[in-house]
Amino acid sequence: MSPRQTTIKTLEASGYCLKRHGTNHDIYYNPDTHSTIPVKRHDFNENDMKYILKEANIIGKHLLFIAFEEVYYVLYLYCYLYTNGDRLWILCKSS
């Protein structure tokens, strides 16, 4: 799966929907947060994906890709960080 497809699936899973197609960008809108995110259509790489997910405030969500017989499955994991004294704990659950 390309970084652009991964970004779009992640945005849609987080409540964003396609608002319109532009010449160079697709515009995604989240009605809950009233935020708009442009996703460029050409020369899209992993750095663009990281930037867009950061701008969309998708924090604590990590993607895990599993390849099985040339089919890629995307598991969305919600991870929560908490401390207990001097230790840092990470709790993850799948959606």
Side-chain angles (χ1 to χ4, degrees):
M1 188 178 303
S2 71
R4 186 173 189 280
Q5 290 173 336
T6 303
T7 301
I8 290 171
K9 286 188 181 285
T10 305
L11 287 173
E12 289 174 347
S14 298
Y16 284 83
C17 58
L18 179 66
K19 185 174 183 180
R20 66 179 171 87
H21 291 289
T23 304
N24 295 320
H25 293 79
D26 291 333
I27 307 298
Y28 283 84
Y29 175 73
N30 188 333
D32 297 331
T33 61
H34 302 290
S35 61
T36 303
I37 301 291
V39 178
K40 67 182 189 177
R41 301 176 90 181
H42 307 286
D43 299 326
F44 198 94
N45 58 30
E46 290 183 6
N47 291 330
D48 296 321
M49 179 176 72
K50 291 176 186 176
Y51 178 77
I52 288 173
L53 296 180
K54 181 179 176 184
E55 287 296 311
N57 290 325
I58 299 175
I59 298 172
K61 182 182 288 186
H62 301 279
L63 300 176
L64 177 64
F65 294 96
I66 299 174
F68 180 72
E69 294 180 2
E70 297 182 5
V71 177
Y72 290 92
Y73 296 95
V74 179
L75 299 177
Y76 294 97
L77 300 176
Y78 294 91
C79 296
Y80 304 95
L81 300 176
Y82 64 95
T83 59
N84 185 4
D86 59 344
R87 295 185 180 183
L88 177 67
W89 296 87
I90 301 174
L91 173 66
C92 295
K93 66 177 184 175
S94 62
S95 60

